[in-house]
């Protein structure tokens, strides 16, 4: 692997997610500056999530955009005894790390785009452009 000596790298990940990546960059010789741009915290009001989970069978898809979203979704679903998910509910994720997070909970993502950006997510979604 190429040395990163003389490079300064800005790591903008959430505090709890930056250490491993930062250490890897440092080991390659980079000067690392951690400047978190995202703060992950609890939701103040879980009413809408709770209602959706308690009525999960009426949904076709659950879209999970990050590993943090996966963790919170399954944690709350377990607290409300809404697991396992009904077989009629499909999971869509933004990228491979999110798909791996879903698998840690014993589920499988039925969809993820080739490119991990919102435009690809929508355009490649099953039934696009006839989404309703």
């Amino acid at each position: 692997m190429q040395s990163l000596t003389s490079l300064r790298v800005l790591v903008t990940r959430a505090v709890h997610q930056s250490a491993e990546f930062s250490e890897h960059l440092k080991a390659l010789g980079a000067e690392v500056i951690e400047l978190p741009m995202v703060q992950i915290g609890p939701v103040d009001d879980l009413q809408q999530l709770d209602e959706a989970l308690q009525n999960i069978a009426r949904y076709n898809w659950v879209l999970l955009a990050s590993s943090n979203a996966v963790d919170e979704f399954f944690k709350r679903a377990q607290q409300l005894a809404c697991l396992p998910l009904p077989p009629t509910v499909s999971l869509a994720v933004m990228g491979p790390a999110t798909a791996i997070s879903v698998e840690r909970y014993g589920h499988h993502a039925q969809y993820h785009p080739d490119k991990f950006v919102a435009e690809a997510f929508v355009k490649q979604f099953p039934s696009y452009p006839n989404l309703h």
Side-chain angles (χ1 to χ4, degrees):
M1 180 154 280
Q2 185 176 4
S3 172
L4 300 180
T5 303
S6 80
L7 291 180
R8 183 177 295 151
V9 179
L10 182 64
V11 176
T12 60
R13 301 183 94 182
V15 171
H16 72 281
Q17 295 175 319
S18 63
E20 183 179 345
F21 184 53
S22 293
E23 290 305 315
H24 183 67
L25 292 170
K26 289 175 187 175
L28 293 172
E31 177 187 344
V32 176
I33 299 169
E34 293 184 358
L35 183 63
M37 296 292 185
V38 174
Q39 182 177 4
I40 309 299
V43 176
D44 292 333
D45 184 358
L46 294 170
Q47 181 180 349
Q48 289 181 318
L49 176 59
D50 290 355
E51 182 180 322
L53 284 167
Q54 290 164 343
N55 296 289
I56 194 77
R58 70 180 189 197
Y59 295 95
N60 295 322
W61 287 94
V62 173
L63 312 178
L64 298 163
S66 71
S67 295
N68 294 313
V70 170
D71 292 340
E72 292 305 313
F73 175 81
F74 280 103
K75 183 173 87 177
R76 192 64 179 165
Q78 186 171 2
Q79 290 171 346
L80 296 176
C82 296
L83 294 176
L85 296 176
T88 56
V89 175
S90 297
L91 300 176
V93 297
M94 184 58 91
T98 312
I100 290 168
S101 293
V102 166
E103 290 173 4
R104 283 195 327 250
Y105 289 94
H107 291 272
H108 176 74
Q110 285 78 20
Y111 167 74
H112 63 82
D114 293 340
K115 295 179 183 172
F116 315 125
V117 293
E119 293 82 6
F121 187 92
V122 172
K123 288 183 180 178
Q124 294 175 13
F125 199 82
S127 302
Y128 177 82
N130 299 314
L131 304 174
H132 20 151

